Amino acid sequence: MKRIIFIFFGVLFNVGVSQNITVNQTFTAQQLIENILVNSGCVSVSNFSATGGNFSAGEMSFGYFNANGSVFPFQEGIVLSTGKLSSVIGPNTNFSDSGIGMSWNGDTDLNTALSLSNTFNATVLEFDFIPNANTISFDYIFASEQYLLNPASNQCNYTDGFAFLLKEATASTYQNLALIPNTTIPVRVNTVRGSGTICPAANEAYFDAFNSGNYPTTYDGQTKILTAQAAVIPGTLYHIKLVIADEGNGRFDSGIFLKAGSFVSEKDLGPNRLLSSGNSLCPNETLILNATQAGATNYKWFKNGNQVGTNSATYDVTSAGTYSVEININTTCVITGSIEIEYAPNITTSTTSFTACDTNSDGFADFDLNAIKTQIFNNLPNNYSVALFDSPSGTTALLANFTNTTLNQQIIYARIVSLENCYSNIPITLNVLSSGGILTTELINICNNSTTTISAPSGFSTYSWNTLPVQNSQTISISNEGNYIVTLTSANGCTNTKTFTVINSELATITSIEVNDFEENLTALITIIGNGNYTYSIDNVNFQNTPFFNLPEPGEYRIYVKEEQCGTISDTFFAISYPKFFTPNGDTFNDIWQIKNLDKKGLENSKIYIFDRFGKLIKEINKTNTSWDGTFDNQKLPSTDYWFVIEVSNGKIIKGHFSLKR
């Protein structure tokens, strides 16, 4: 914990210890401005004033400081404090709270700039100046005891205020230059703070450190070196007011350190053109730097510290580097300006043609555009990206998973995305390669684990089977059932697969032959049992996959059931029907009407009754009397239709009619 140490000084003093800064309060406001802060013939200064604490011993709250060989970043300069000047001196073991109880006035301009109403203990240094160039700037560090190492949660928003207020001398409003770079946020304890305490970090890139006891100043923390700058009009009278004050009460001193000699009037050559900020020059682009300055007697241009031009207010930049200019105004004023120039690189392509495999021979394939984007360019900077579009003027980037919309080949366009917008569209060719088409699963039968060969399609460069060990030939021998999968690679690198499903097979066993006898259309349905790939035939020549047959006529048939690997079995069957007509004319051909083959099917005990068209029983056919010759009582009956009823021995009744023709 810090010890509170009270030290009394005389009115004029020069104090300090080794490795800590020293301070001196004997400088007047004019000396602090002319000899310390400005120290340049390029800025004309006047109308100096300084106000601060009214301590009983005559001590000041502002003055000169010197780093005294310590690690403090500035070698010398001016310090403005909300407490005694002597309380600024390190090490950081004292609690700098010397403004407590004093409660001298705050500052209304500071209140306005920071939207405050409760400032106390204001220290102010102000002066007029006339710049010779179009910008002014100076370097500063803000330090404070309010950068507490172990704050309570209610102390996170305590912050003293300061501002660097600039205006034209005749203007009524000020511009605050003490802002976080590239923002409108004032620099304060709670807007620039590092992590490591319970208080939230803020703009941490601009915070230097929380200090240990050995730090050269008494403050608990400070910012990094910051630069206040503004655009001004050369030859115009300006007024600047540097002010710092306690906010709310007089506790916890803060200080502003201004670097000696850093208040300069510089020539603004424009913003740095950097890759990191996205405004670098495009390849082969030329930038004209213009340093035209009223009253200039000479110009000198430098690139990376080496003189490259003279006696010209402009310089044409054609390559990267840090460019600076020295502008002689008079014997005591040399205005400088600088700018850093970077060029977007000449980006070269690695490949602009890409392939994907067509797995189903439809001319379309899936392309991974994310992978393609990483392969197009050789030297793409880290902060650049690539987008792909379907046309040169496209505005909606293609998604990562892309299927070509033009058959077999499509041109898309690569566009480098950067703030500079330096690059043209690059045509990218997407080629669809054949994988060999759709290869259907093939069913293979082997008879009782016999050995057979299976062959993959030809036309591929390599073959790889899922066997153990892996086989790499087009044809393999197998003797076990299972799924055999071959991976085929084409000469273009595309792969495909084909599956052979191998099944153990055997000769079929015919279990039944069902014939629909006596029907108009005779059919037979064969039922078998067995494991195999079977085909069927009733002539042993023409085989079919189905066991159902349409029979052309009644009679005896032989059914053949074939299994390719195991062989063929056969059996006979009979189809029974009645004749549709008969011609009893004595020519020995079709002279009788009878139903054949009843005995072949065990139906020989069936009875058949024949009637004329009036229902008169003409003939009874049975096992012993098997046919009718067309007579009744030895008389020939006329040609006409006759009806019959068959009482089949299995109990079935069949009725029909036929014609007698003479």
Side-chain angles (χ1 to χ4, degrees):
M1 177 179 293
K2 286 190 174 184
R3 294 176 297 153
I4 301 178
I5 302 176
F6 296 91
I7 304 175
F8 296 90
F9 296 87
V11 174
L12 300 178
F13 58 89
N14 187 330
V15 299
V17 295
S18 176
Q19 303 306 308
N20 297 318
I21 68 168
T22 60
V23 296
N24 188 320
Q25 68 176 15
T26 63
F27 289 80
T28 65
Q30 182 173 354
Q31 290 172 327
L32 290 173
I33 300 303
E34 281 187 337
N35 302 332
I36 306 300
L37 183 60
V38 177
N39 196 22
S40 168
C42 291
V43 181
S44 175
V45 291
S46 61
N47 193 23
F48 316 97
S49 67
T51 59
N54 182 20
F55 296 97
S56 59
E59 296 179 65
M60 301 293 187
S61 58
F62 60 90
Y64 167 83
F65 76 88
N66 189 287
N68 192 35
S70 69
V71 297
F72 193 73
F74 294 154
Q75 179 61 38
E76 60 177 338
I78 300 170
V79 59
L80 310 179
S81 172
T82 61
K84 293 179 182 180
L85 184 63
S86 58
S87 296
V88 174
I89 302 168
N92 184 34
T93 55
N94 299 326
F95 178 58
S96 183
D97 200 21
S98 57
I100 188 172
M102 298 297 297
S103 297
W104 72 85
N105 292 336
D107 186 85
T108 55
D109 291 328
L110 178 62
N111 288 342
T112 300
L114 302 183
S115 300
L116 302 174
S117 61
N118 57 348
T119 58
F120 301 88
N121 301 352
T123 296
V124 179
L125 179 62
E126 52 190 323
F127 59 96
D128 293 339
F129 70 94
I130 299 174
N132 277 333
N134 55 3
T135 64
I136 60 100
S137 66
F138 55 93
D139 297 336
Y140 69 96
I141 293 173
F142 170 60
S144 179
E145 288 284 44
Q146 289 180 327
Y147 281 121
L148 299 174
L149 299 176
N150 295 293
S153 59
N154 64 343
Q155 293 177 304
C156 290
N157 288 322
Y158 286 154
T159 176
D160 290 340
F162 76 98
F164 302 145
L165 303 175
L166 174 70
K167 67 174 183 176
E168 290 188 31
T170 57
S172 58
T173 58
Y174 282 105
Q175 170 190 0
N176 182 17
L177 308 185
L179 303 176
I180 295 168
N182 304 312
T183 75
T184 59
I185 302 171
V187 176
R188 306 181 71 185
V189 169
N190 60 355
T191 61
V192 179
R193 177 161 42 208
S195 58
T197 72
I198 65 171
C199 298
N203 297 295
E204 196 167 2
Y206 303 109
F207 182 73
D208 183 18
F210 295 104
N211 297 327
S212 68
N214 294 324
Y215 197 71
T217 74
T218 190
Y219 299 115
D220 273 353
Q222 66 278 323
T223 67
K224 292 182 178 179
I225 298 174
L226 300 174
T227 298
Q229 66 178 33
V232 292
I233 302 172
T236 300
L237 180 65
Y238 286 87
H239 182 76
I240 191 166
K241 182 176 185 178
L242 313 175
V243 54
I244 186 170
D246 285 324
E247 179 185 348
N249 56 51
R251 304 298 307 275
F252 297 91
D253 293 346
S254 297
I256 288 293
F257 294 85
L258 308 172
K259 183 180 180 180
S262 68
F263 192 99
V264 294
S265 180
E266 296 181 308
K267 187 65 180 180
D268 184 10
L269 298 178
N272 291 332
R273 306 293 294 271
L274 305 176
L275 284 167
S276 60
S277 54
N279 66 339
S280 63
L281 299 184
C282 293
N284 303 318
E285 183 180 356
T286 298
L287 176 66
I288 299 176
L289 300 178
N290 191 338
T292 300
Q293 177 67 40
T297 60
N298 188 39
Y299 298 88
K300 289 183 181 180
W301 290 96
F302 300 84
K303 177 185 176 183
N304 299 330
N306 300 311
Q307 188 172 340
V308 292
T310 187
N311 294 327
S312 175
T314 62
Y315 185 82
D316 292 353
V317 173
T318 59
S319 60
T322 299
Y323 292 84
S324 59
V325 64
E326 291 181 359
I327 308 170
N328 290 89
I329 303 297
N330 52 53
T331 57
T332 61
C333 176
V334 178
I335 297 175
T336 63
S338 66
I339 184 173
E340 187 176 354
I341 304 293
E342 292 179 343
Y343 273 81
N346 281 306
I347 299 175
T348 59
T349 57
S350 175
T351 180
T352 58
S353 181
F354 298 89
T355 61
C357 297
D358 178 3
T359 58
N360 56 5
S361 297
D362 63 354
F364 298 95
D366 295 328
F367 292 84
D368 183 352
L369 297 191
N370 279 346
I372 287 176
K373 287 189 289 187
T374 65
Q375 302 173 57
I376 297 173
F377 299 103
N378 286 314
N379 56 332
L380 194 70
N382 290 333
N383 58 330
Y384 286 18
S385 61
V386 178
L388 296 171
F389 299 86
D390 60 2
S391 71
S393 59
T395 57
T396 302
L398 297 173
L399 298 178
N401 297 319
F402 176 72
T403 301
N404 56 299
T405 57
T406 303
L407 192 68
N408 295 323
Q409 186 183 83
Q410 184 167 352
I411 305 298
I412 61 174
Y413 298 86
R415 189 178 305 161
I416 296 175
V417 180
S418 67
L419 294 177
E420 293 89 353
N421 195 26
C422 291
Y423 306 97
S424 301
N425 290 313
I426 304 295
I428 304 298
T429 303
L430 304 180
N431 294 296
V432 178
L433 304 179
S434 173
S435 297
I438 299 175
L439 302 178
T440 59
T441 298
E442 187 172 335
L443 183 64
I444 301 292
N445 293 86
I446 58 175
C447 188
N448 298 317
N449 293 316
S450 60
T451 299
T452 190
T453 59
I454 53 177
S455 295
S458 60
F460 293 89
S461 298
T462 63
Y463 301 84
S464 179
W465 295 86
N466 67 330
T467 56
L468 292 176
V470 174
Q471 299 181 70
N472 300 114
S473 56
Q474 181 182 353
T475 299
I476 64 172
S477 295
I478 54 98
S479 57
N480 296 308
E481 64 180 1
N483 286 327
Y484 293 83
I485 302 172
V486 60
T487 300
L488 312 108
T489 304
S490 302
N492 59 22
C494 292
T495 61
N496 204 338
T497 60
K498 180 176 176 62
T499 300
F500 296 85
T501 298
V502 177
I503 300 174
N504 244 336
S505 59
E506 59 190 353
L507 279 172
T509 298
I510 299 174
T511 58
S512 67
I513 303 173
E514 182 180 346
V515 180
N516 64 337
D517 296 317
F518 301 110
E519 296 294 335
E520 183 72 20
N521 297 314
L522 292 174
T523 61
L525 177 64
I526 317 302
T527 302
I528 65 169
I529 58 174
N531 185 35
N533 185 21
Y534 300 107
T535 55
Y536 306 84
S537 175
I538 56 175
D539 61 8
N540 204 25
V541 175
N542 301 300
F543 283 83
Q544 64 185 44
N545 292 324
T546 62
F548 181 82
F549 291 90
N550 288 303
L551 304 176
E553 60 184 15
E556 181 180 1
Y557 290 88
R558 178 168 288 276
I559 181 68
Y560 300 88
V561 182
K562 179 169 64 174
E563 207 293 319
E564 287 293 336
Q565 302 300 320
C566 295
T568 304
I569 62 168
S570 65
D571 196 2
T572 59
F573 69 92
F574 293 87
I576 302 174
S577 190
Y578 60 90
K580 302 299 187 290
F581 67 92
F582 76 110
T583 57
N585 54 15
D587 62 359
T588 71
F589 179 75
N590 208 22
D591 279 339
I592 60 174
W593 187 91
Q594 72 176 147
I595 297 177
K596 298 179 180 181
N597 298 321
L598 286 172
D599 59 326
K600 304 297 185 184
K601 305 190 76 169
L603 302 177
E604 63 271 14
N605 294 322
S606 300
K607 293 181 179 181
I608 305 171
Y609 302 96
I610 300 174
F611 304 90
D612 65 10
R613 62 192 180 94
F614 301 106
K616 179 181 177 181
L617 178 63
I618 301 298
K619 179 70 174 180
E620 178 182 342
I621 296 175
N622 51 41
K623 182 176 181 180
T624 58
N625 189 5
T626 60
S627 64
W628 180 46
D629 61 2
T631 64
F632 180 74
D633 289 340
N634 294 318
Q635 298 294 319
K636 294 181 179 179
L637 294 182
S639 297
T640 186
D641 282 350
Y642 293 87
W643 279 257
F644 66 86
V645 175
I646 303 175
E647 295 178 351
V648 184
S649 58
N650 62 9
K652 184 177 180 181
I653 302 297
I654 299 171
K655 297 179 180 181
H657 65 90
F658 60 91
S659 297
L660 186 156
K661 297 180 181 180
R662 293 190 182 275

